[in-house]
Amino acid sequence: MKLGIIGLPNVGKSTLFNAITKAGAESANYPFCTIEPNVGMVNVPDSRLDELAKIYNPKKVTHAVIEFVDIAGLVKGASRGEGLGNKFLSHIREVDAIIHVVRCFDDSNIVHVDGSIDPMRDIETINYELIFADMETLEKRIERTGKMTKSGDKKYAKELDVLNKIMAALESGKPARSVELSDDEADLIKDLSLLTRKSIIYAANVSEDDFANGIENNAYVNRLKEMAAAEGAEVLPISARIEEEISQLDDEDKLMFLQDMGLEESGLDRLIKASYKLLGLISFLTAGEPEVRAWTIKNGTKAPQAAGKIHTDFERGFIRAEVIHYDTLIENGSIAAAKEKGLVRLEGKEYVMNDGDVVLFRFNV
């Protein structure tokens, strides 16, 4: 999974990126500090792997991984190339979902590119640039598809109808994701990688004091939640500065720090959970002496396709899957004890995987 972190200059994007990836991206108090996108890989927190490791004592424990991409700050006119905008927009096309960092704190020492703090204006600025870029993409495709419809092939007529439906939404200032499409319709435009079709989480960057005094008292965040609710998006309050402090601590000190702040988990953990939910992702687990590992798949994936995540031969030669849920395995203490009670199931090609399934795939190539 690849998540793109976007936002106006100086809203805390690179500070947040540095904190969650410890990648040391440059972060400074002036626009366009980030030009080329910074990339960082982050393990997906999963305590189930630690518990399985106690049972199997593996040589290696491998977490699922998320790739975070810190994309340079967008500005008004980006769709026309302002502020190196076209280059930045191309980076956004490559990600699976967008983390839109919105500044929701006052600080006279940190300049704002527009001179004042207004989250709604900031979001509108970026949304319109993404919309304009998508409109340009659609115009070219509509022209080409319109010519192809003369062949009489109904596929092109259907595609043109979808393109025009999305264009109408964009022209009214709505993102492409606001247009409901069937799976078949979505496939027709998948190759366009429309920017406003991507799933989005608004990361409301607040001050440390706001976490201490209560997020509900932040008027910026409350306004942002109202706007996001109207478009079916999620708002995740997060403090880039707190995440920066947490990133410097070991696990024990991190836990104490979070408890002192009245937090159950870090912003990174909450961000990853929200991203999985946003993209409809789950994890299945494999366990043995060589390795205990988590694998990320789409919710609704069947067993052979899940096996294919491990190796294409597993999918091609799939015979069956031996499945036990993580909770059941932990309750019984070992796979042998669970097998004695008949708790390990044999599942075939139509089995739909569940989050937390511990699986051994049988295959023959």
Side-chain angles (χ1 to χ4, degrees), residues 73-94:
L74 292 167
V75 293
K76 195 174 291 184
S79 59
R80 301 188 303 278
E82 293 291 333
L84 306 178
N86 287 332
K87 191 173 185 180
F88 301 161
L89 292 171
S90 71
H91 297 317
I92 301 173
R93 293 195 192 283
E94 299 168 6

Side-chain angles (χ1 to χ4, degrees), residues 23 58 72 78 83 99 105 112 148 173 203-204 239 248 259 319 335 337 341 343 359 363:
I99 309 298
F105 66 89
H112 189 288
M148 300 299 288
S239 171
Q248 313 296 323
Q259 289 173 345
I319 299 173
I335 194 71
K341 297 178 183 177
L343 298 173
V359 192
F363 70 102

Side-chain angles (χ1 to χ4, degrees), residues 39-294:
V39 178
M41 309 296 284
V42 176
N43 283 343
V44 175
D46 195 334
S47 60
R48 297 175 298 190
L49 296 178
D50 298 327
E51 295 303 313
L52 288 175
K54 293 175 185 176
I55 294 175
Y56 288 92
N57 194 26
K59 294 182 177 70
K60 185 165 64 168
V61 174
T62 306
H63 287 252
V65 171
I66 288 182
E67 183 176 338
F68 283 94
V69 183
D70 176 27
I71 297 168
L74 292 167
V75 293
K76 195 174 291 184
S79 59
R80 301 188 303 278
E82 293 291 333
L84 306 178
N86 287 332
K87 191 173 185 180
F88 301 161
L89 292 171
S90 71
H91 297 317
I92 301 173
R93 293 195 192 283
E94 299 168 6
V95 303
D96 299 309
I98 294 170
I99 309 298
H100 184 163
V101 181
V102 185
R103 181 171 168 176
C104 293
F105 66 89
D106 294 304
D107 188 336
S108 59
N109 294 317
I110 301 177
V111 298
H112 189 288
V113 71
D114 287 329
S116 62
I117 310 303
D118 186 341
M120 301 302 102
R121 179 202 58 213
D122 293 355
I123 289 171
E124 188 176 77
T125 295
I126 286 186
N127 282 352
Y128 274 121
E129 294 309 320
L130 302 183
I131 285 172
F132 291 149
D134 279 349
M135 287 175 68
E136 186 177 339
T137 300
L138 281 177
E139 283 169 3
K140 295 173 183 174
R141 183 65 163 260
I142 287 171
E143 183 180 354
R144 194 185 83 186
T145 305
K147 291 176 182 176
M148 300 299 288
T149 57
K150 294 173 183 176
S151 68
D153 190 330
K154 291 182 179 178
K155 180 184 78 171
Y156 294 112
K158 185 176 181 181
E159 181 182 316
L160 186 61
D161 180 56
V162 173
L163 293 170
N164 284 325
K165 191 159 48 172
I166 295 173
M167 180 62 91
L170 297 176
E171 288 175 340
S172 66
K174 296 178 181 177
R177 63 181 166 272
S178 68
V179 180
E180 288 190 21
L181 300 177
S182 66
D183 290 341
D184 289 341
E185 289 175 327
D187 284 340
L188 292 172
I189 60 153
K190 189 175 181 180
D191 63 314
L192 290 175
S193 296
L194 294 175
L195 303 173
T196 64
R197 181 119 181 105
K198 295 183 184 296
S199 300
I200 189 166
I201 294 173
Y202 291 107
N205 187 15
V206 301
S207 67
E208 295 177 68
D209 288 342
D210 279 323
F211 269 102
N213 300 328
I215 298 296
E216 66 277 1
N217 298 319
N218 186 307
Y220 296 137
V221 174
N222 291 333
R223 287 173 59 201
L224 180 55
K225 285 181 177 179
E226 289 177 13
M227 185 223 70
E231 67 171 63
E234 185 172 348
V235 174
L236 186 75
I238 195 167
S239 171
R241 289 299 177 198
I242 288 178
E243 296 306 310
E244 190 174 43
E245 291 179 48
I246 289 174
S247 71
Q248 313 296 323
L249 305 174
D250 59 31
D251 289 344
E252 189 175 331
D253 287 341
K254 172 183 168 183
L255 188 60
M256 289 178 60
F257 182 89
L258 290 172
Q259 289 173 345
D260 289 344
M261 293 293 296
L263 302 172
E264 294 181 2
E265 53 188 353
S266 71
L268 172 59
D269 291 354
R270 290 185 292 115
L271 184 59
I272 289 174
K273 284 182 180 179
S275 300
Y276 262 64
K277 181 180 176 183
L278 184 72
L279 294 172
L281 300 176
I282 61 171
S283 293
F284 74 89
L285 312 167
T286 53
E289 190 177 321
E291 183 181 37
V292 166
R293 182 164 181 168

